[in-house]
């Protein structure tokens, strides 16, 4: 039985090569299910940043974009090119929160985990597919270290029904210290 692996692992902070991260079940955050990313009002404040990130990736690839369905255009192109740097991510910050949005659509049928670990938020995804005698596994791990003081105990995550994950990390204001 053949096995092909595509391990996407990016660390905004350093992670030793070959060091496997194990999920501590105590630190796993629940992922709240929401509606479609471009229709659910929950995602309204971050939507424009995510669209801009998709635009930039599509421009980098030199691909045509469908204005009516930007997400489908992006995912169609992404199917042909699964390189890690092609995963759309958007970052936003306001007075109260840091937000990270990433497309985890390819992992929605598998396993997506968000956890807090050593002052970082870690997102992992893994999915396995079997087709006859062929088995493939795809995974990724992203670590996020937010600037300033963040209330890591209040970090939340939500996933749209079309596979867009949003992580919200509340800031600790200077007055409340």
């Amino acid at each position: 039985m053949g096995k092909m692996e595509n391990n996407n692992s990016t660390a905004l902070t350093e992670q030793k090569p070959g060091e496997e991260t194990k999920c501590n079940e105590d630190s796993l955050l629940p992922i709240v299910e929401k509606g479609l990313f471009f229709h659910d009002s929950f995602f309204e404040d971050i939507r424009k940043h995510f669209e801009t990130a998709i635009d930039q990736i599509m421009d980098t690839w030199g691909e045509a974009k469908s204005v009516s369905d930007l997400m489908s255009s992006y995912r169609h192109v992404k199917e042909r090119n699964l390189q890690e740097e092609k995963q759309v991510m958007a970052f936003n910050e306001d007075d109260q929160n840091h937000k990270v949005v990433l497309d985890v659509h390819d992992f929605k049928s598998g396993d997506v985990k968000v956890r807090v670990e050593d002052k970082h938020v870690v997102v992992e995804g893994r999915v396995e597919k079997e087709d006859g005698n062929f088995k493939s596994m795809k995974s990724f791990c992203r670590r996020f270290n937010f600037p300033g003081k963040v209330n890591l105990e209040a970090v939340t995550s939500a996933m749209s029904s079309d596979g867009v994950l949003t992580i919200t990390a509340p800031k600790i204001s200077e007055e409340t210290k």
Side-chain angles (χ1 to χ4, degrees):
M1 200 180 333
K3 184 174 183 180
M4 182 179 95
E5 290 191 18
N6 178 16
N7 290 325
N8 291 334
S9 180
T10 291
L12 297 180
T13 58
E14 195 147 338
Q15 182 176 345
K16 294 177 186 148
E19 179 181 280
E20 212 173 298
T21 56
K22 303 265 189 287
C23 271
N24 177 349
E25 296 300 322
D26 294 339
S27 65
L28 286 179
L29 299 176
I31 299 174
V32 177
E33 293 286 329
K34 297 288 183 180
L36 292 169
F37 183 77
F38 287 102
H39 299 287
D40 192 318
S41 62
F42 177 85
F43 303 106
E44 194 170 357
D45 62 333
I46 193 74
R47 196 173 292 139
K48 192 72 181 155
H49 298 279
F50 193 68
E51 284 178 332
T52 301
I54 292 174
D55 271 341
Q56 290 171 344
I57 292 271
M58 296 293 281
D59 288 346
T60 300
W61 290 341
E63 294 286 342
K65 299 172 269 200
S66 164
V67 176
S68 63
D69 196 354
L70 189 59
M71 186 67 101
S72 290
S73 298
Y74 158 69
R75 287 186 174 151
H76 178 71
V77 172
K78 188 177 170 211
E79 283 176 9
R80 298 189 320 244
N81 188 346
L82 293 176
Q83 294 174 14
E84 173 181 347
E85 60 272 10
K86 305 300 188 213
Q87 184 180 29
V88 171
M89 275 191 291
F91 304 93
N92 188 33
E93 174 182 3
D94 61 26
D95 292 340
Q96 288 85 33
N97 300 301
H98 294 282
K99 286 194 178 185
V100 178
V101 181
L102 58 157
D103 180 26
V104 295
H105 177 263
D106 297 339
F107 300 91
K108 194 160 171 29
S109 65
D111 193 19
V112 176
K113 294 179 179 172
V114 179
R115 70 182 191 282
V116 174
E117 176 185 283
D118 300 328
K119 298 184 182 179
H120 299 96
V121 173
V122 179
V123 180
E124 293 179 313
R126 177 186 169 103
V127 67
E128 290 185 21
K129 292 183 181 171
E130 279 192 57
D131 186 14
N133 290 337
F134 184 74
K135 183 177 182 180
S136 65
M137 188 273 291
K138 179 167 52 166
S139 66
F140 76 93
C141 180
R142 303 264 189 201
R143 291 180 169 278
F144 300 99
N145 184 14
F146 300 102
K149 302 258 186 216
V150 173
N151 183 354
L152 292 172
E153 293 176 10
V155 171
T156 59
S157 58
M159 184 163 339
S160 68
S161 58
D162 52 345
V164 179
L165 180 68
T166 301
I167 299 160
T168 303
K171 293 179 178 180
I172 297 174
S173 67
E174 295 299 316
E175 299 90 54
T176 57
K177 286 201 294 186

